[in-house]
Amino acid sequence: MSDGGAPAGGQAGNGGSGGVSRTLHVPMLARVEGEASMHVVIYDGRVSEVELRIFEPPRFFEALLRGRAFTEPPDITARICGICPVAYQMSACQAIEDACGAIVPPPLQDLRRLLYCGEWIESHALHIYLLHAPDFLGYDSAIDLARDHRDLVERGLRLKKAGNAILTVVGGRSIHPVNVRVGGFYRLPTADELRGLRATLADALADALATVALVAGFDFPDLTHDCEYLSLRPAQGYPIDAGQVVTGGGLAFPAAEFDAHVTEEHVKHSHALHARLHGTDPYLTGPLARYALNSAALSPLAAQAARDAGLGSVCRNPFRSIIVRAVEVTYAVEEALRIIDSWEGAAAPSVPVEPRAGTGYGVTEAPRGVLYHRYRLAADGTITDARIVPPTSQNQISIEHDLRAFVQARLGLPPDELTRQCEQAIRNYDPCISCATHFLDLTVEHR
């Protein structure tokens, strides 16, 4: 990851109505993980316009998949993200297997869930300690934080290493795992390899609980999210790798009906599509939604950690989402230990998957929220159409909605402080356009 940008600048002049027009500009910081800016217009003392401008060039993965073999999406889509490749692999496998009518047996499903737990652990640890905690603790970066609180950063790195260890053992490597295939895996981990993870995960559980206690003590600005929540809900357990889609308003539907309920539209200020429920309603997916709709399904230890941290059954302050992520780390470590202790092997690393004409749907819970895949296959298994809806594009409207209220309540702040707090507010959602500490290009126009 690298930073780039020019010194901040500003200009002032007279607007058409004779009032003072002022523009504050924080330089663009572009990274491989994503490029974005936030544009805020304030007119006559009111926030009149908020835009999350995602201008990273389109990567055309959906077009790239057309004409490919039905066996290729797990490897191709993993390259969409280096932080959550497993999410793309799992949603892709589900969709292809659905189209082909393949049934993956429970032992292999458990192994997939274990792999997904590893991704949750490493991704949440990265966000909590390296990207977001510095905001709450008054530091510009994790490097600055480490100078005064080396122990905190080392704890975060230990947690991330524990998650990466699962990805390596089950997935073949920690970034863009190579052991995942349609129908299961290329190779099963040995019992000794899985048992070898146990000591690391036992230590990680203590670190996870300490993380919940740490972030619960942060000072949280006031902000209440009032958009709809959307997440998965499985028959058992907390949503990670499976489930039907549910909303706070009582809607429930399978992955095959996602297109009927969620529509996307292109807006001029973003290369990422905006998603809405029923064509009109913004919604939020991710930790806050998962927790609000599934908190009763947490393990006893994770549920107690949530209560000790002051979380009720629902949390609507986006700043407190860092607590929910810490609780989810606790759950994921516990779940990984449960799977390792109960896993008795599988008859084979994969099941045969034969191509056929049809459409398949897959939906899982990436660390940042619901990730939907849809593939249409020809009779020989050639992909004729693909649709991928990642969490960040679903959350864009809600981010803009929340930021409007956040800025409106803080118009009296000095420009530099307002900019800093806006950046922190956007990091609440851990947007996947960038996994760097700062990604925001903020322009505030006073008219």
Side-chain angles (χ1 to χ4, degrees), residues 335-364:
E335 186 70 352
L337 286 167
R338 182 193 66 80
I339 294 171
I340 289 171
D341 290 343
S342 62
W343 201 71
E344 298 179 349
S350 65
V351 296
V353 180
E354 299 298 330
R356 69 181 188 185
T359 302
Y361 309 87
V363 61
T364 67

Side-chain angles (χ1 to χ4, degrees), residues 95-423:
I96 295 296
E97 290 155 5
D98 181 47
C100 296
I103 303 298
V104 176
L108 297 182
Q109 292 178 12
D110 288 343
L111 206 58
R112 284 180 169 180
R113 187 171 175 88
L114 173 61
L115 181 64
Y116 221 140
C117 284
E119 180 157 283
W120 269 35
I121 295 165
E122 62 86 10
S123 177
H124 279 346
L126 170 68
H127 172 80
I128 292 168
Y129 281 97
L130 302 186
L131 304 186
H132 213 183
D135 285 326
F136 291 100
L137 296 173
Y139 293 89
D140 291 333
S141 69
I143 294 175
D144 293 330
L145 175 63
R147 292 192 180 103
D148 295 337
H149 301 283
R150 182 186 179 96
D151 58 325
L152 296 184
V153 175
E154 287 182 341
R155 182 195 295 156
L157 293 176
R158 282 198 307 271
L159 278 170
K160 193 174 189 313
K161 186 176 180 179
N164 285 342
I166 298 174
L167 296 178
T168 300
V169 168
V170 181
R173 65 185 185 193
S174 60
I175 299 176
H176 302 146
V178 294
N179 193 34
V180 175
R181 64 177 295 176
V182 173
F185 297 89
Y186 289 102
R187 170 189 175 274
L188 292 176
T190 67
D192 286 343
E193 287 174 328
L194 290 180
R195 282 195 298 267
L197 293 169
R198 216 189 180 291
T200 298
L201 290 172
D203 291 340
L205 186 56
D207 282 336
L209 290 170
T211 301
V212 177
L214 169 70
V215 298
F218 289 166
D219 184 20
F220 299 104
D222 291 330
L223 181 62
T224 300
H225 178 87
D226 59 5
C227 291
E228 185 74 281
Y229 280 155
L230 181 146
S231 80
L232 298 189
R233 179 178 291 160
Q236 293 181 345
Y238 199 73
I240 298 179
D241 58 326
Q244 67 174 345
V245 183
V246 298
T247 70
L251 194 64
F253 55 89
E257 296 179 9
F258 191 90
D259 290 340
H261 294 281
V262 175
T263 59
E264 292 182 297
E265 63 179 357
H266 179 73
V267 293
K268 66 179 182 179
H269 64 266
S270 176
H271 286 167
L273 300 177
H274 277 201
R276 295 179 183 271
L277 270 174
H278 319 300
T280 59
D281 301 332
Y283 65 93
L284 184 74
T285 187
L288 288 183
R290 282 193 296 262
Y291 181 81
L293 298 174
N294 299 276
S295 59
L298 286 169
S299 61
L301 184 61
Q304 184 61 53
R307 288 191 293 270
D308 292 345
L311 291 177
S313 60
V314 175
C315 176
R316 285 199 165 272
N317 184 341
F319 285 92
R320 291 170 67 85
S321 65
I322 194 171
I323 304 178
V324 178
R325 283 188 170 88
V327 170
E328 289 191 337
V329 172
T330 302
Y331 178 83
V333 174
E334 275 195 288
E335 186 70 352
L337 286 167
R338 182 193 66 80
I339 294 171
I340 289 171
D341 290 343
S342 62
W343 201 71
E344 298 179 349
S350 65
V351 296
V353 180
E354 299 298 330
R356 69 181 188 185
T359 302
Y361 309 87
V363 61
T364 67
E365 283 281 358
R368 291 154 192 84
V370 167
L371 172 61
Y372 169 72
H373 285 222
R374 184 200 69 206
Y375 298 102
R376 292 196 179 104
L377 306 182
D380 65 352
T382 300
I383 299 169
T384 62
D385 184 61
R387 183 186 180 198
I388 299 172
V389 184
T392 295
S393 66
Q394 296 177 69
N395 287 339
Q396 279 187 87
I397 300 176
S398 288
I399 295 173
E400 293 175 346
H401 175 85
D402 287 351
L403 199 66
R404 179 186 298 271
F406 185 78
V407 173
Q408 185 63 53
R410 290 160 177 79
L411 292 179
L413 290 175
D416 288 348
E417 179 60 17
L418 179 60
T419 297
R420 186 194 69 78
Q421 290 194 21
C422 285
E423 290 187 279

Side-chain angles (χ1 to χ4, degrees), residues 35-77:
E35 301 170 3
S37 66
M38 179 60 68
H39 188 80
V40 178
V41 175
I42 300 164
Y43 181 76
D44 195 22
R46 303 292 299 176
V47 178
S48 61
E49 182 181 332
V50 176
E51 293 179 348
L52 177 60
R53 296 178 172 179
I54 295 179
F55 48 83
E56 179 176 349
R59 299 166 70 192
F60 304 113
F61 268 89
E62 291 165 320
L64 180 64
L65 287 162
R66 292 199 292 269
R68 297 280 187 162
F70 74 107
T71 55
E72 295 186 77
D75 291 319
I76 292 175
T77 61

